[in-house]
């Protein structure tokens, strides 16, 4: 039986809650939350997490993200369901599982490219089970831990920017960059890895290693715009929100998604104006301080 303290979701939450922010209000001006990503402009650096199998369907999630001027990432689902998502006109990054069937992966990459996705990726860490090293079965589909050569094939198979989800180290970030990825999604996939280092703890080190031209997307446990501010201050370009969207989506559909993202974006800007941060790319990391007694 796993030690309850090994729950990576709780570890990440504790780390985020141990961070405090230094106020710098004198001379501040009202900020903008707009960001340019992959050559496109968005109203916010807050995007949806790569969710799957939602009761209201994935297209409504994409509609809500579009209403908020945000990127939408989506997870599991066949090409038909992805087609419904892309038909909304939302800017979508499709995250593909590491299926054992390589042809299935190539088919999903090709569909994403030809039907208007702005990026694709693979959540490599979902290839293996939580409690042993065997390849996993996810929603009845067999996975396979991809080799470096196979990852190269997937990345070279598309003109779309490619992301690896689940990278949680400088080593993985540098390998992803060497492979030709546009960036990584730093995630322990909702606790798949026990005792995982919080993505937010590693952000400064990884940012320093990869430079400014490699996208770092922080995923896991972001509950509000104040969490988002901390992640951006530590080096993220974008932050993913998943669970925090679900109650509003279930109740109010796309409008609920847009309302939550907009509220979080307002909270983000409230922190930015109080720290003399003119835009998300110019948040001074030195405003973040560690207060371990708040854990």
């Amino acid at each position: 039986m796993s030690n309850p303290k090994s729950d990576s979701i709780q570890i990440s939450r504790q780390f985020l809650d141990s961070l405090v922010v230094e106020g710098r209000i004198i001379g501040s001006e009202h900020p903008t939350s707009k960001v340019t990503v992959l050559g496109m402009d968005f109203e916010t650096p807050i995007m949806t997490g790569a969710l799957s199998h939602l009761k209201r369907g994935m297209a409504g999630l994409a509609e809500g993200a579009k209403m908020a001027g945000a990127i939408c990432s989506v997870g599991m689902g066949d090409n038909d369901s992805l087609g419904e998502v892309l038909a909304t006109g939302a800017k979508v990054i499709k995250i593909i599982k590491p299926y054992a069937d390589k042809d299935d992966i190539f088919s999903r990459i090709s569909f994403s490219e030809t039907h208007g996705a702005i990026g694709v990726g693979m959540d490599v860490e979902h290839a293996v089970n939580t409690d042993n090293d065997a390849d996993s079965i996810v929603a009845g589909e067999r996975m396979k831990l991809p080799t470096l050569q196979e990852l190269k094939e997937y990345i070279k198979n598309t003109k779309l920017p490619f992301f690896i989800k689940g990278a949680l180290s400088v080593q993985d970030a540098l390998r992803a960059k060497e492979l030709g990825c546009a960036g990584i999604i730093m995630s322990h996939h909702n606790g798949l890895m026990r005792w995982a280092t919080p993505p937010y703890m590693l952000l400064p080190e990884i940012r320093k290693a990869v430079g400014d031209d490699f996208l770092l997307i922080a995923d896991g446990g972001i509950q509000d715009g104040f969490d988002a501010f901390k992640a951006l201050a530590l080096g993220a370009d974008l932050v993913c929100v998943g669970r925090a969207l679900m109650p509003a989506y279930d109740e109010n559909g796309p409008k609920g998604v847009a309302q939550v993202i907009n509220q979080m974006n307002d909270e983000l800007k409230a922190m930015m104006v109080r720290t003399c941060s003119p835009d998300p790319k110019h948040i001074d990391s030195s405003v973040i301080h560690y207060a371990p007694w708040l854990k």
Side-chain angles (χ1 to χ4, degrees):
M1 183 178 294
S2 297
N3 182 341
K5 293 183 179 180
S6 71
D7 184 344
S8 298
I9 300 171
Q10 293 303 316
I11 292 171
S12 286
R13 184 69 257 162
Q14 290 167 358
F15 180 76
L16 274 172
D17 288 343
S18 73
L19 301 178
V20 292
V21 183
E22 173 184 322
R24 299 177 183 177
I25 191 67
I26 297 176
S28 187
E29 298 179 359
H30 291 291
T32 177
S33 61
K34 293 183 179 181
V35 292
T36 300
V37 179
L38 304 177
M40 290 165 277
D41 295 330
F42 298 93
E43 294 296 322
T44 177
I46 299 169
M47 60 183 284
T48 74
L51 300 170
S52 307
H53 307 305
L54 301 182
K55 289 187 295 184
R56 277 183 172 264
M58 298 303 299
L61 180 76
E63 289 175 7
K66 181 183 177 182
M67 291 168 61
I71 295 172
C72 176
S73 62
V74 295
M76 290 193 77
D78 59 20
N79 285 341
D80 288 341
S81 63
L82 177 59
E84 294 174 359
V85 169
L86 292 169
T88 67
K91 303 300 184 183
V92 176
I93 297 175
K94 169 64 175 176
I95 303 300
I96 301 167
K97 287 282 181 285
Y99 297 106
D101 184 347
K102 291 175 64 175
D103 289 339
D104 194 359
I105 294 173
F106 287 127
S107 170
R108 293 167 190 266
I109 292 174
S110 176
F111 188 93
S112 299
E113 181 174 326
T114 58
H115 288 75
I118 65 170
V120 294
M122 178 173 287
D123 49 355
V124 175
E125 85 286 5
H126 219 150
V128 293
N129 293 328
T130 301
D131 298 318
N132 60 50
D133 73 331
D135 289 339
S136 63
I137 296 177
V138 181
E141 299 275 1
R142 182 167 294 280
M143 304 294 131
K144 177 190 175 296
L145 186 64
T147 65
L148 282 174
Q149 182 56 42
E150 286 168 338
L151 286 174
K152 288 179 183 178
E153 291 177 24
Y154 301 144
I155 293 166
K156 292 183 181 299
N157 187 252
T158 180
K159 297 177 183 177
L160 290 175
F162 198 100
F163 299 86
I164 289 180
K165 181 180 178 185
L168 277 175
S169 64
V170 168
Q171 174 176 303
D172 273 357
L174 290 175
R175 279 187 172 177
K177 189 171 184 178
E178 290 169 2
L179 286 169
C181 290
I184 58 173
I185 302 173
M186 299 174 61
S187 169
H188 48 67
H189 209 107
N190 204 28
L192 274 184
M193 179 179 175
R194 294 290 180 173
W195 297 107
T197 308
Y200 318 102
M201 180 181 288
L202 297 170
L203 270 166
E205 184 181 1
I206 292 176
R207 173 56 70 199
K208 182 178 179 181
V210 299
D212 294 332
D213 61 344
F214 190 73
L215 286 171
L216 298 183
I217 304 174
D219 179 35
I222 297 291
Q223 295 180 354
D224 53 37
F226 308 114
D227 286 344
F229 174 86
K230 293 177 184 180
L232 293 166
L234 292 170
D237 295 294
L238 300 165
V239 297
C240 290
V241 179
R243 286 187 176 186
L245 298 175
M246 291 303 92
Y249 183 42
D250 290 342
E251 184 174 351
N252 295 314
K255 288 184 179 179
V257 171
Q259 287 169 353
V260 172
I261 294 176
N262 288 336
Q263 178 183 340
M264 293 178 69
N265 198 53
D266 285 343
E267 293 165 348
L268 167 62
K269 289 195 288 186
M271 294 298 279
M272 291 172 66
V273 75
R274 288 177 172 84
T275 54
C276 273
S277 305
D279 58 67
K281 292 291 287 184
H282 293 90
I283 301 175
D284 189 335
S285 62
S286 68
V287 301
I288 300 293
H289 297 274
Y290 180 50
W293 62 88
L294 293 177
K295 281 186 175 183

